[in-house]
Amino acid sequence: MLIVHYSRQLQAAQAWQPGTVIGDNALWFDLIDPTDDERKAASKASGMVVPERDDLNGLTLSSRHRAGSDSLELSVPYFAAEHDDKPATPMGIVVGSQAIVTVRFAQSRAFDLCQECAREKPFDGSGDVFTTLVESIVDLAAERMQEVAGDLRKLSARVFSTNRLGTPVLRRCMLEVGRLESIQTRTRTSLLSIQRIVSFVRAKEPAWADGDEQGRLRVVDHDLRTLDEFDDQLTNKLQFLLDASLGFINTDQNHVMKVLTVVSVATVPPILLAGVWGMNFKRMPELDWTYGYPLALATIVISIILPVLWFRWRGWLADD
């Protein structure tokens, strides 16, 4: 799909149809999983080369960002998609003095937010589009991180509840930690690429990024650094909750082992007594006692109770 936005007028964005002519005042060419025809149409109307998907997957910085004679080619190899259960896809941005081309392969709320800004106020130029898009991406990432922080507060209250949690409940808490870590990792990786793009543009100081755009990018750069610190806090909190869940599970397992140890120790004396009285010797005084059988049973019960009482007196049977 190719969506064309026009400059300095409240003209609605139009989805390009094969065979139609794109106006001269076209400013933003938004390509979503484009076909070859859509790629050629955007390239012809903008006068810029539209990157292929394989060109956007470069790992080195030199392959991610390139400066042309009148344009900047920027790429985000790992751009978070709209839904967390969908894999991330690359995104490319080519910015020139007259137009901007974006190439993406999944829907994104950040682009929707940017388009909403265009309906309220027409774009001034390619620099305005680029800056607004970056601001939308950062705002959406900040919103996701706030959601993760809220879920972490709920999860922390659940893990550190005064009620004793069983291993199945703690296991579900660990799975929730893994889900939140996955969301945070996606957001972190995407923001890292955006931060490199912003630093690259600020260093190059292209003609389409005038004083106003530079000031806005400076604010975005500050926001990215703030989010980076916030990300460190969330990552530490996630690790802390994971360690706490594992610690509680180990505590429960240790308690089970402690109970089993007490049971095994408490059953040793009666086993010895039963073994002695179960011997088939001819002369055993207890066999002639009138109350030998109940006395033997009482002795076995007492031999069980005494070790248990001793363990409790030493505090080894305490739950906390």
Side-chain angles (χ1 to χ4, degrees), residues 57 87 133 145 152 155 197 217 230 280 283 304:
N57 290 321
L133 178 59
M145 294 176 70
L152 275 177
L155 184 60
I197 284 179
L217 289 177
F230 189 36
N280 295 319
R283 296 182 179 180
I304 295 176

Side-chain angles (χ1 to χ4, degrees), residues 23 57 65 113-114 123 128 142 151 194 208 212 242 244 246 255 298:
N57 290 321
H65 314 315
L113 292 175
C114 187
F123 289 122
D128 188 16
D151 291 341
I194 298 301
W208 47 264
D212 182 48
L242 179 62
L246 289 173
H255 180 72

Side-chain angles (χ1 to χ4, degrees), residues 116-147:
E116 290 177 4
C117 294
R119 285 191 286 268
E120 297 176 359
K121 179 184 176 183
F123 289 122
D124 238 0
S126 58
D128 188 16
V129 177
F130 172 79
T131 307
T132 304
L133 178 59
V134 170
E135 290 173 342
S136 300
I137 294 174
V138 174
D139 289 343
L140 182 60
E143 179 182 332
R144 288 184 177 180
M145 294 176 70
Q146 288 288 352
E147 293 175 354

Side-chain angles (χ1 to χ4, degrees), residues 270 273-274 277 291-305:
L273 293 175
W277 286 324
Y291 300 101
Y293 179 71
L295 286 175
L297 291 181
T299 304
I300 291 175
V301 172
I302 293 173
S303 68
I304 295 176
I305 295 176

Side-chain angles (χ1 to χ4, degrees), residues 198-219:
V198 171
S199 300
F200 183 77
V201 173
R202 290 188 63 193
K204 291 296 182 181
E205 296 184 352
W208 47 264
D210 57 12
D212 182 48
E213 271 70 37
Q214 285 291 339
R216 293 167 62 186
L217 289 177
R218 190 181 305 111
V219 174

Side-chain angles (χ1 to χ4, degrees), residues 175-221:
L175 292 176
E176 179 66 12
V177 170
R179 185 186 71 84
L180 295 177
E181 172 61 24
S182 176
I183 296 175
Q184 192 59 24
T185 299
R186 292 163 61 87
T187 303
R188 180 191 310 118
T189 307
S190 183
L191 282 182
L192 180 60
S193 298
I194 298 301
Q195 187 172 20
R196 288 172 174 170
I197 284 179
V198 171
S199 300
F200 183 77
V201 173
R202 290 188 63 193
K204 291 296 182 181
E205 296 184 352
W208 47 264
D210 57 12
D212 182 48
E213 271 70 37
Q214 285 291 339
R216 293 167 62 186
L217 289 177
R218 190 181 305 111
V219 174
V220 169
D221 189 44

